[in-house]
Amino acid sequence: MTTIEVESFLETFQTLVMASLTPEGEPHASTAPYVRVGSDFYILISTVAQHGRNLLTSPNVSLLFVEDESQCVQPFARKRVTIESTASEVVRDDVRYESIIERFCAHFDPELVTSLTQMGDFHLFKLSPQSGSVVMGFGRAYRLDHNLEVMTQIMGQHQKGHGNG
């Protein structure tokens, strides 16, 4: 498994699945379109939505990129990348704000993106990876570092190995 393979897999997505924590500490799963700069992911979401409120109160978020079920050969070994991240808001007067919004306009409907940025409840968040993992099939699981580079293979402690009933 190489970092290039991980990057190639991530490039196939326009949206991410994220798990965040409500102010009460309850898990909440949702999805959002994103753009990437380096290893950071940026999302433009409403704080009317639960996930937007969650990121304002708790920066811990887990991201999931998972193979389409219709393309999946084996559901138990579905290809996926999971990234533990820290969220921070990019405020409108931040020097990065305009360049990130320009990326959103280039990847998505520019009129819609412009309209969303004019709404007071839409906030831009940067999701900075801390660590992660990639699974590309049975026996093909690897740890990722904060730059999303492949580090080490994850080895299980199975009582009976794969295929040994």
Side-chain angles (χ1 to χ4, degrees):
M1 170 61 46
T2 67
T3 300
I4 292 171
E5 288 174 285
V6 174
E7 289 297 325
S8 294
F9 182 72
L10 290 174
E11 287 175 6
T12 66
F13 296 89
Q14 293 186 75
T15 60
L16 52 77
V17 176
M18 65 178 171
S20 56
L21 293 173
T22 67
E24 298 76 33
E26 296 296 322
H28 176 81
S30 60
T31 185
Y34 74 94
V35 296
R36 235 176 117 192
V37 177
S39 59
D40 294 323
F41 299 82
Y42 291 85
I43 57 174
L44 181 65
I45 58 175
S46 172
T47 53
V48 172
Q50 183 67 54
H51 58 211
R53 294 192 308 276
N54 293 350
L55 296 184
L56 289 174
T57 59
S58 176
N60 298 325
V61 61
S62 182
L63 310 179
L64 176 65
F65 301 87
V66 62
E67 177 182 31
D68 186 319
E69 284 185 335
S70 68
Q71 305 298 313
C72 178
V73 175
Q74 176 47 262
F76 284 98
R78 201 164 156 198
K79 294 177 183 176
R80 60 197 176 272
V81 172
T82 304
I83 304 168
E84 307 314 321
S85 301
T86 302
S88 59
E89 185 177 2
V90 179
V91 294
R92 294 173 194 267
D93 61 356
D94 187 302
V95 295
R96 299 170 294 169
Y97 186 87
E98 285 303 320
S99 67
I100 300 302
I101 295 303
E102 286 174 12
R103 283 184 180 248
F104 271 98
C105 287
H107 286 89
F108 302 101
D109 179 349
E111 288 181 27
L112 176 61
V113 171
T114 300
S115 176
L116 296 176
T117 63
Q118 294 169 353
M119 296 179 188
D121 61 304
F122 272 80
H123 296 250
L124 181 63
F125 290 93
K126 177 175 114 174
L127 309 176
S128 301
Q130 303 302 307
S131 63
S133 63
V134 56
V135 174
M136 289 296 163
F138 286 122
R140 296 189 64 213
Y142 302 85
R143 295 195 193 290
L144 302 174
D145 71 6
H146 66 282
N147 291 316
L148 304 182
E149 293 182 10
V150 175
M151 299 302 293
T152 58
Q153 187 169 12
I154 300 170
M155 304 300 286
Q157 296 287 327
H158 304 286
Q159 289 180 346
K160 296 179 181 181
H162 290 291
N164 292 330

